Amino acid sequence: MSPWNGVLPAITTAFNADLSIDHGAVRAHVNWLVSRGCTGIIPCGSLGEGATLSLEEKVALMRTVVGAVKVPVIPGIAALSTAEAVRLAKAAEDAGCAGLMVLPPYVYSSDWREMKAHMAAVLRATKLPCLLYNNPVAYRTDFTPAHLAELAAEFDNAAAVKESSTDARRVTGIRALLGDRLALGVGVDDCLVEGVEAGARFWVAGLVNAFPDESVRLYDLAMAGKKEAAFALYRWFLPLLRLDTVTKFVQLIKLVQQEMGWGHERVRAPRLELVGPEREECLRVLREALANRPAL
């Protein structure tokens, strides 16, 4: 099964009251997502609060997800140092993961020579197919189509790109330069329809954690070219999908999950649970969406 198709939830990480990982809740959640049509699972990403998880916790989380589902598991590989990213990549392969989502360093950001060296070290460390994660908004590192072409030319296991620049033109730019060499995916929730129209073929999604039925349906309609139906569902979904594109996206999505009966709004510091007007506005958006929720 190719991991580069369909809806791939970047899952939140469920925490117990003491903020240890709630592995039982994780197992139940990923099973539910797969039962609703999701085609893979991505733990340890930004939405999964990967920056607050130790290496040991990440490996334990990977093993929990691999043991829970039969679809590809593609963990985020992100670390402060290249050496730790390499250790994490090797551990993911040992844990039975099907691929890796490789991030640039998320604190130190410099020039392409250094960023390429980091990515190359991870790609050399594993035989698994790798999803190259471009998110200049969050990480201040921009993998241009030319940069992606360099990695694709040198590493056979550079297999796909998660394009999260929020610019749908990047998808067409990558296609123009690389053809079908890299599978293309949309990495922000509120650019799915535009990305598919430009040539993307999978969706690394966030609000899917609470709304898998609508997410899978939207993806299917977009891929089938049913534009009118896709935009009707998209129009309803966009206020929720936009929660994925702001600084407190983790808190917002976890709150929505909690309200929908899947998970808890607990987050690890430095994040704090939402309070006051921010929390009320999120709940207002959710209430309005539920009041007008379309039949699928």
Side-chain angles (χ1 to χ4, degrees), residues 55-250:
L55 188 147
E56 293 75 19
E57 286 178 316
K58 290 178 182 178
V59 174
L61 185 57
M62 292 174 198
R63 292 187 180 278
T64 290
V65 178
V66 168
V69 297
K70 301 301 183 185
V71 299
V73 176
I74 309 155
I77 304 299
L80 295 175
S81 71
T82 299
E84 183 169 327
V86 166
R87 288 195 294 273
L88 188 58
K90 291 178 178 178
E93 188 167 352
D94 291 342
C97 295
L100 307 176
M101 183 177 73
V102 185
L103 283 71
Y106 50 70
V107 171
Y108 179 70
S109 178
S110 180
D111 58 24
W112 173 235
R113 182 176 71 93
E114 291 183 324
M115 295 304 99
K116 181 182 177 183
H118 175 88
M119 300 295 285
V122 177
L123 287 162
R124 279 195 296 267
T126 180
K127 296 182 176 65
L128 293 178
C130 292
L131 171 62
L132 310 175
Y133 183 10
N134 184 43
N135 189 339
V137 176
Y139 299 114
R140 304 182 308 282
T141 299
D142 192 0
F143 296 144
T144 67
H147 295 155
L148 295 170
E150 281 188 46
L151 291 171
E154 295 179 32
F155 297 97
D156 289 342
N157 62 334
V161 58
K162 176 187 173 184
E163 178 48 55
S164 300
S165 68
T166 73
D167 185 351
R169 294 172 299 176
R170 279 300 183 89
V171 174
T172 55
I174 294 166
R175 289 186 69 201
L177 188 59
L178 284 90
D180 295 326
R181 169 62 183 84
L182 293 178
L184 296 174
V186 173
V188 287
D189 272 13
D190 62 350
C191 198
L192 183 274
V193 172
E194 299 90 331
V196 167
E197 185 73 12
R201 290 296 175 264
F202 62 93
W203 185 17
V204 179
L207 266 297
V208 66
N209 282 279
F211 288 93
D213 292 347
E214 287 84 355
S215 298
V216 171
R217 180 61 174 162
L218 179 60
Y219 169 84
D220 287 344
L221 289 170
M223 288 294 293
K226 296 180 179 179
K227 296 182 181 180
E228 186 174 340
F231 273 102
L233 180 54
Y234 204 30
R235 189 178 301 111
W236 168 83
F237 211 176
L238 275 171
L240 288 167
L241 296 176
R242 290 180 181 130
L243 300 176
D244 180 62
T245 62
V246 295
T247 301
K248 295 184 181 180
F249 73 111
V250 174

